[in-house]
């Protein structure tokens, strides 16, 4: 069952039934100021950091779902409704919500009034614009009342939800003309305030939530709205809001646009006040003036559309499969921008107060983003590396506002450092910018301890070398990529977090996943060293990699697949000898991508085992058999019910590792079959089961052991976005940047006749046509550049500004 449709031309997903199986959301903003908006107008806004600079309030796990947002209410002669259906939930004569690239347009119509709310955040702007278009679609004149609504968060979103003994006394506002200012704590240490304005005279307002709403009412029944009488309330403490009241008159067929601006302002400490107790409003007024007409707003919308058209033009495919095209050309790239911006902080599953920017997560997010805005990728790499410790280890996350690492969700995840090699080498291959290696980068944000970025990579590599266990395999530490395989954490207290407590600090538990990671990105480190003429460094590193390969073959092969780990007692994890958890996906993916034992058929065998044990209708599950009891020596993984999350859920993040490994084996049919199973556009028809957005990947789909296999959860903020983008574009379609040019080596379903890709790379445009006359999956038989044959499959970088034609024949 579907709840809308894709409009590929407009690059929108258009929801036509407000009662989606879960709130289907969109992200507004691309740089500093962000909003989350659901298909019924729910959501919230923040500046840079969803925890420390939250502008509007949101209640989590609310009842009914998705309650609270930026709402509009229309009172049409006593008939009250909202254009987004919620919160009032009056039946609408027409409803649609178009989620586009960084904008959302919600339209509702009832009794001859059409109201459209178009929300977006202009580029380079710390404000959300809402263009509200009201139209009289009836044959008679209409006179009605419009109320806006936003509820302020008292800035620190966590404190705001917990510290009521203080917060109910601190809220402060000012109202001047049509602008409502939120100035809580401005008097003391905050040099920032927020405002909500409209570009028309108002006939009333409210700033005290409970006076406006009535203490015992929900958002669907605010007294002021239903009585058509604003209270002109002034908030002192309690819960400050911003609600404008406007009386609107429209002749038949007439329409009117209003521009609302929700903005964030920072002022220098010496310029905070206009007069005693009165905030300096001039920067707010300047910001409002930039958007005070429809023409100005439309011009910004055009800029935003151009921005996205340009970003997406870097990689596009014509495959003949519209679902594939819309994933690659629009939605997957869009999600990669969102994960780049948010990491794992703010979604409808991540509260914005829990997790910030993950060390491993943000590095991986870059592989789907670096082609979009390489300069921002570069800055991010340096930010991440700046939180690294001198021994190469890492804080697991940092807060975007401060850019400082913290231990809030633990540390000592021994995979963390290696991901820095992935992001950096991908960046250099994309841009050719080796200068990043010479950048002076601090440790633990202490500039006095800075070294070159290259030295950071070296320490990442040697962090593994310096932390090997009894079998010469990498020690796992707290956990590796799988946050829930906690082999050194024997927890008996249900109030302990597996991420932060109970570490046994053993030096026995080893990870085959990190072993694969080390070989794969260690090889990248060696290649990089050779590129920059550090042959001695390369040779030294190579010796460690060779030893690791030997250790994996000797101690990490279980006969038909790679082991997952050795536990605290030195016992095998992920072996046929185990009763549950015999085979895991991560080590098959990473040892496979690293090509360990490729020549001896190990990789092929392990992929066949994945197919046999882990594959199901909805994707590849994380391990089998699922754990049915709590294993204290394995930790959180065994806490989840079977089929969910890390306990045999379909963790969409690691499915592409298998796709990529299949392409190394030349098995394009299998790779693409796995791709289709989890790519959201292919799941649109089963939206009622899948539950989450058909235009965004989710972290987890319930696996075959679950109560409801196929049900998705935790959409948007997941490494799934970047990894699937890499799998489809670089390995299946096979267009991948390398140091010496653009490699084109597809691995596709044998039934395909071919496809076309346009790739912008280091300033030149490559129009690539791949034909597959003999219906193979892999193998470049010939390649021409502007008609001239090239040996191999790497097209050297062409001059910036030029357009070239590349013809590839498989066979
Ligand atoms: C979550 C985390 C990620 C981790 C994965 C597996 O997605 O963000 O860091 O690798 O879970 O546990
Ligand atoms: C839980 C989740 C895992 C996530 C981790 C982050 O363990 O299962 O997916 O990565 O929390 O803190």
């Amino acid at each position: 069952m579907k709840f809308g449709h894709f409009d590929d031309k407009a690059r929108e997903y258009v929801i036509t039934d407000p009662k989606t199986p879960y709130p289907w959301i969109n992200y507004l903003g691309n740089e500093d100021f962000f909003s989350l908006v659901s298909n019924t107008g729910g959501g919230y806004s923040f500046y840079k950091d969803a925890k420390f600079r939250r502008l509007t309030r949101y209640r989590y796990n609310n009842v009914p779902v998705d309650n609270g947002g930026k709402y509009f209410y229309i009172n049409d002669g006593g008939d009250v409704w909202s254009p987004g259906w919620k919160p009032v939930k009056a039946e609408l004569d027409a409803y649609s919500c178009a989620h586009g690239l960084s904008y959302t347009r919600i339209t509702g119509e009832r009794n001859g009034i059409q109201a459209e709310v178009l929300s977006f955040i202009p580029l380079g702007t710390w404000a959300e614009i809402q263009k509200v278009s009201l139209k009289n679609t009836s044959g008679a004149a209409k006179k009605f009342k419009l109320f806006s609504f936003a509820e302020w968060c008292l800035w620190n979103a966590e404190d705001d939800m917990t510290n009521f003994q203080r917060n109910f006394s601190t809220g402060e506002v000012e109202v001047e003309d049509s602008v409502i200012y939120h100035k809580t704590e401005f008097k003391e240490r905050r040099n920032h305030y927020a405002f909500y304005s409209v570009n028309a005279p108002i006939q009333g307002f409210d700033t005290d939530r409970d006076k406006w709403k009535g203490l015992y009412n929900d958002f669907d029944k605010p007294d002021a709205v239903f009585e058509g009488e604003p209270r002109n309330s002034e908030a002192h403490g309690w819960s400050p809001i911003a609600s404008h009241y406007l009386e609107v008159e429209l002749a038949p067929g007439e329409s009117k646009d209003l521009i609302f601006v929700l903005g964030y302002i920072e002022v220098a400490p010496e310029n905070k006040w206009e007069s005693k107790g009165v905030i300096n409003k001039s920067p707010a007024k300047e910001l409002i003036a930039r958007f005070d007409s429809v023409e100005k707003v439309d011009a910004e919308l055009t800029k935003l559309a151009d921005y996205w058209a340009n970003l997406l033009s870097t990689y596009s495919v014509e495959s003949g499969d519209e679902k594939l095209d819309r994933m690659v050309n629009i939605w997957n790239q869009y999600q990669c921008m969102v994960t780049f911006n948010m990491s794992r902080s703010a979604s409808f599953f991540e509260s914005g107060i829990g997790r910030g920017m993950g060390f491993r997560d943000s590095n991986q997010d870059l592989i789907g983003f670096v082609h979009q805005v390489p300069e921002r990728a570069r800055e991010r790499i340096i930010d991440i590396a700046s939180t690294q410790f001198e021994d190469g280890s890492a804080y697991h996350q940092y807060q975007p506002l401060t850019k400082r690492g913290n231990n809030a969700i633990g540390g000592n995840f021994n995979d963390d450092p290696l991901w820095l090699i992935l992001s950096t080498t991908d960046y250099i291959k994309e841009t050719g910018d080796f200068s990043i290696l010479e950048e002076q980068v601090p440790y633990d944000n202490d500039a006095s301890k800075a070294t070159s970025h290259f030295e950071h990579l070296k320490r990442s590599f040697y962090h593994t070398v310096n932390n090997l266990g009894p079998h010469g395999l990498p020690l796992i530490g707290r956990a590796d990529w799988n946050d829930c395989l906690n082999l050194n954490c024997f927890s008996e207290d249900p109030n302990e977090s597996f991420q932060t407590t109970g570490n046994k600090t053993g030096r026995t538990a080893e990870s085959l996943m990190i072993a694969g990671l080390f070989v794969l990105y260690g090889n990248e480190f060696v290649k990089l060293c050779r590129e920059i003429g550090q042959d001695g460094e390369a040779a030294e590193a190579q010796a460690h990699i060779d030893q690791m390969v030997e250790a994996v073959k000797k101690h990490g092969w279980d006969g038909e697949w790679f082991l997952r780990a050795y536990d605290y007692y030195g016992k095998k994890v992920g072996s046929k000898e185990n009763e549950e958890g015999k085979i895991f996906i991560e080590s098959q993916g990473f040892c496979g991508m690293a090509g360990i034992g490729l020549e001896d058929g190990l990789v092929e065998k392990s992929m066949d085992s994945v197919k046999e044990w882990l594959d199901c209708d909805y994707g590849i599950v994380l391990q089998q058999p699922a754990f049915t009891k709590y294993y204290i020596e394995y930790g959180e993984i065994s806490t989840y019910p079977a089929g969910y999350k890390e306990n045999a859920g379909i963790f969409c993040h690691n499915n592409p590792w298998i796709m990529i490994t299949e392409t190394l084996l030349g098995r394009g049919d299998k790779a693409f079959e796995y791709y289709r199973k989890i790519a959201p556009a292919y799941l649109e028809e089963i939206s009622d089961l899948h539950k989450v957005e058909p235009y965004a990947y989710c972290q987890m789909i319930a696996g075959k052991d679950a109560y409801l296999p196929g049900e998705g959860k935790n959409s948007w903020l997941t490494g799934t976005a970047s990894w699937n983008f890499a799998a489809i574009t670089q390995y299946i379609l096979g267009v991948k940047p390398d140091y010496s040019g653009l490699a084109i080596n597809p691995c596709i379903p044998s039934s395909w006749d071919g496809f076309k890709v346009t790739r912008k790379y280091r300033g030149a445009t490559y129009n690539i046509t791949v034909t597959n006359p003999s219906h193979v999956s892999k193998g470049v038989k010939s390649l021409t550049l502007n008609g001239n044959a090239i040996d191999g499959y790497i097209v050297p970088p062409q001059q910036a500004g030029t357009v070239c034609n590349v013809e590839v024949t498989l066979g």
Side-chain angles (χ1 to χ4, degrees):
M1 189 181 164
K2 302 204 299 180
F3 296 82
H5 56 267
F6 286 96
D7 180 343
D8 293 333
K9 211 154 166 266
R11 297 176 170 141
E12 289 175 351
Y13 191 81
V14 185
I15 299 162
T16 47
D17 179 348
K19 287 173 240 173
T20 47
Y22 202 69
W24 286 1
I25 72 162
N26 193 16
Y27 285 84
L28 314 180
N30 289 295
E31 289 142 342
D32 293 332
F33 190 101
F34 299 99
S35 298
L36 279 64
V37 57
S38 77
N39 58 304
T40 59
Y44 58 88
S45 302
F46 59 93
Y47 169 78
K48 279 194 182 169
D49 193 313
K51 178 171 177 177
F52 290 129
R53 282 286 193 286
R54 185 77 67 91
L55 267 80
T56 62
R57 185 174 281 166
Y58 195 74
R59 288 169 191 76
Y60 308 102
N61 197 9
N62 35 27
V63 179
V65 72
D66 191 21
N67 219 19
K70 283 172 231 129
Y71 291 136
F72 289 94
Y73 299 81
I74 287 171
N75 182 331
D76 173 17
D79 180 47
V80 176
W81 57 282
S82 295
W85 183 60
K86 265 175 81 79
V88 179
K89 294 195 282 184
E91 281 308 313
L92 298 173
D93 300 331
Y95 159 89
S96 73
C97 166
H99 284 317
L101 303 183
S102 308
Y103 67 88
T104 285
R105 191 178 58 248
I106 294 179
T107 315
E109 186 170 350
R110 184 172 158 102
N111 292 339
I113 299 171
Q114 189 193 68
E116 178 185 291
V117 182
L118 172 60
S119 314
F120 73 107
I121 292 163
L123 294 169
T125 303
W126 295 351
E128 178 182 330
I129 308 297
Q130 296 167 313
K131 179 176 150 192
V132 177
S133 308
L134 302 164
K135 188 172 181 188
N136 181 351
T137 57
S138 79
K142 281 273 186 192
K143 203 172 160 182
F144 58 92
K145 298 167 175 179
L146 177 75
F147 294 80
S148 70
F149 170 78
E151 183 178 12
W152 301 116
C153 177
L154 308 187
W155 300 114
N156 178 326
E158 188 171 28
D159 191 72
D160 181 70
M161 279 290 132
T162 46
N163 192 9
F164 308 115
Q165 58 80 26
R166 168 181 165 85
N167 296 340
F168 284 172
S169 296
T170 57
E172 289 190 288
V173 297
E174 283 182 36
V175 183
E176 188 187 279
D177 302 326
S178 298
V179 192
I180 297 164
Y181 296 88
H182 176 227
K183 60 170 187 179
T184 302
E185 293 184 348
F186 189 72
K187 176 176 111 197
E188 26 135 344
R189 295 155 297 171
R190 294 191 183 277
N191 300 328
H192 45 264
Y193 63 81
F195 68 85
Y196 193 29
S197 69
V198 56
N199 69 337
I202 54 175
Q203 286 76 50
F205 63 87
D206 272 288
T207 66
D208 180 308
R209 187 192 65 205
D210 296 328
K211 291 214 174 87
W212 171 76
K213 183 173 69 55
L215 184 61
Y216 289 98
N217 290 336
D218 208 335
F219 293 126
D220 64 346
K221 273 241 167 321
D223 284 341
V225 174
F226 275 74
E227 290 164 21
E229 288 285 342
R231 305 318 200 223
N232 298 329
S233 60
E234 212 183 289
H236 293 275
W238 299 111
S239 291
I241 61 163
S243 174
H244 306 92
Y245 167 73
L246 294 107
E247 290 166 1
V248 185
E249 269 190 75
L250 294 175
E254 191 189 351
S255 58
K256 180 173 186 156
D257 294 311
L258 295 166
I259 312 294
F260 290 81
V261 181
L262 178 89
Y264 170 82
I265 298 289
E266 282 182 358
V267 276
E270 62 279 14
N271 285 329
K272 280 174 78 166
W273 305 101
E274 219 163 84
S275 58
K276 189 160 182 2
V278 179
I279 62 173
N280 174 3
K281 303 187 181 66
S282 53
K285 287 177 185 166
E286 278 166 35
L287 180 52
I288 292 166
R290 281 177 52 206
F291 308 105
D292 59 4
S293 73
V294 170
E295 294 68 38
K296 290 182 189 173
V297 167
D298 287 350
E300 290 297 331
L301 271 167
T302 307
K303 274 195 217 161
L304 187 63
D306 292 348
Y307 170 79
W308 270 111
N310 180 48
L311 284 185
L312 295 179
S313 70
T314 308
Y315 196 119
S316 64
V317 64
E318 278 172 56
S319 69
D321 173 346
E322 64 170 11
K323 296 187 171 86
L324 176 59
D325 290 2
R326 66 172 65 114
M327 283 310 317
V328 170
N329 299 344
I330 306 171
W331 294 100
N332 196 175
Q333 297 203 58
Y334 183 57
Q335 189 176 356
C336 287
M337 168 67 91
V338 172
T339 56
F340 170 81
N341 283 326
M342 298 290 128
S343 195
R344 305 296 170 268
S345 65
S347 73
F348 270 31
F349 296 86
E350 300 281 5
S351 63
I353 58 181
R355 303 209 273 161
M357 316 294 287
F359 192 99
R360 83 154 78 88
D361 292 331
S362 288
N363 275 308
Q364 291 172 81
D365 291 343
L366 284 166
I367 70 175
F369 176 78
V370 63
H371 67 291
Q372 295 189 30
V373 195
E375 312 76 58
R376 292 185 71 198
R378 189 186 205 273
E379 186 189 338
R380 176 64 52 81
I381 291 169
I382 301 296
D383 285 350
I384 298 171
S386 306
T387 68
Q388 193 175 19
F389 292 107
E390 283 175 287
D391 70 352
S393 67
Y395 284 114
H396 203 42
Q397 72 160 10
Y398 68 97
Q399 222 37 64
L401 194 67
T402 60
K403 295 189 173 180
R404 284 180 170 274
N406 64 63
N407 278 323
I409 54 163
N412 287 323
F413 295 84
N414 280 349
D415 64 313
D416 269 337
L418 290 167
W419 300 107
L420 190 62
I421 301 176
L422 167 66
S423 61
T424 305
T425 52
D426 263 26
Y427 168 77
I428 299 173
K429 289 176 188 171
E430 180 69 40
T431 57
D433 171 22
F434 285 92
S435 77
I436 188 173
L437 298 173
E438 283 132 48
E439 200 76 34
Q440 287 297 302
V441 183
Y443 292 89
D444 197 5
N445 292 99
D446 180 346
S448 73
K449 293 192 233 157
T451 68
S452 72
H453 185 62
F454 179 76
E455 177 67 23
H456 277 260
L457 299 187
K458 188 175 164 188
R459 293 190 193 183
S460 291
F461 178 85
Y462 281 97
H463 182 262
T464 303
V465 176
N466 295 334
N467 287 281
L468 298 178
H471 299 94
L473 296 166
L475 290 170
I476 197 167
R478 161 86 45 198
D480 58 26
W481 171 88
N482 190 331
D483 276 341
C484 298
L485 190 61
N486 314 114
L487 300 180
N488 291 308
C489 167
F490 287 46
S491 178
E492 282 178 296
D493 176 357
N495 293 316
E496 277 175 1
S497 149
F498 287 94
Q499 317 297 316
T500 51
T501 45
N503 201 314
K504 280 214 140 181
T505 61
R507 290 188 73 88
T508 326
E510 298 168 297
S511 161
L512 267 302
M513 187 266 164
I514 303 182
L517 193 72
F518 175 77
V519 173
L520 184 60
Y521 301 133
N523 281 329
E524 287 298 336
F525 179 68
V526 167
K527 248 172 102 178
L528 179 68
C529 291
R530 298 218 186 274
E531 285 291 325
I532 58 172
Q534 299 250 23
D535 288 335
E537 201 72 76
E540 217 173 291
Q542 187 63 54
H544 293 292
I545 297 169
D546 294 344
Q547 277 173 22
M548 185 68 75
V549 169
E550 284 319 303
V552 172
K553 287 185 179 171
K554 195 156 167 217
H555 302 292
W557 180 250
D558 196 50
E560 285 178 76
W561 56 77
F562 294 99
L563 285 179
R564 178 63 177 86
Y566 284 94
D567 71 11
Y568 180 78
Y569 303 110
K571 288 208 269 201
K572 292 175 184 172
V573 182
S575 159
K576 54 179 180 291
E577 293 164 19
N578 297 108
E579 204 181 310
E580 300 188 324
K582 287 175 188 285
I583 171 171
F584 283 69
I585 193 171
E586 302 97 323
S587 42
Q588 316 317 319
F590 264 91
C591 294
M593 288 194 289
I596 299 174
L598 186 68
E599 60 294 342
D600 310 322
L602 302 194
V603 176
E604 192 173 344
K605 210 173 225 162
S606 100
M607 286 302 106
D608 291 344
S609 300
V610 166
K611 178 90 199 147
E612 186 186 333
W613 286 80
L614 303 179
D615 185 32
C616 76
D617 287 350
Y618 301 104
I620 311 168
V621 303
L622 196 143
Q623 99 278 9
Q624 279 292 296
F627 297 113
T628 56
K629 57 178 201 211
Y630 177 49
Y631 293 78
I632 195 169
E633 70 277 26
Y634 292 173
E636 187 171 3
I637 191 167
S638 62
T639 65
Y640 285 113
Y644 295 95
K645 292 281 286 183
E646 280 87 344
N647 186 11
I650 297 156
F651 228 84
C652 299
H653 185 145
N654 52 35
N655 279 223
W657 303 343
I658 302 301
M659 298 168 205
I660 293 170
T661 306
E662 289 287 3
T663 67
L664 298 187
L665 296 171
R667 307 201 297 195
D669 289 295
K670 287 226 170 59
F672 193 66
E673 182 195 326
Y674 290 137
Y675 174 79
R676 283 177 49 126
K677 274 191 184 169
I678 61 166
Y682 291 89
L683 308 177
E684 190 193 12
E685 299 287 345
I686 55 161
S687 286
D688 41 342
L689 168 65
H690 187 58
K691 242 181 148 104
V692 288
E693 296 89 338
Y695 45 89
Y697 278 100
C698 60
Q699 181 205 52
M700 193 242 3
I701 299 174
K704 52 185 171 181
D705 305 284
Y707 174 69
L708 198 56
E711 185 185 63
K713 285 187 192 131
N714 199 0
S715 53
W716 284 100
L717 302 187
T718 161
T720 310
S722 59
W723 270 106
N724 276 281
F725 188 72
I728 187 68
T729 62
Q730 302 183 348
Y731 294 91
I732 298 177
L733 301 173
V735 180
K736 185 170 176 17
D738 208 332
Y739 294 112
S740 57
L742 200 57
I744 306 172
N745 187 18
C747 181
I748 55 176
S750 50
S751 60
W752 285 15
D753 294 323
F755 62 90
K756 286 189 177 149
V757 162
T758 304
R759 178 66 153 96
K760 286 193 186 151
Y761 175 61
R762 301 192 196 173
T765 302
Y766 300 72
N767 290 322
I768 304 162
T769 308
V770 176
T771 49
N772 187 21
S774 11
H775 287 277
V776 297
S777 277
K778 195 172 185 181
V780 172
K781 194 166 145 207
S782 68
L783 189 153
T784 63
L785 170 65
N786 295 326
N788 304 314
I790 285 200
D791 277 344
Y793 54 75
I794 298 187
V795 183
Q798 300 298 293
Q799 211 190 326
T802 61
V803 178
C804 64
N805 291 315
V806 181
E807 309 266 343
V808 179
T809 308
L810 303 182

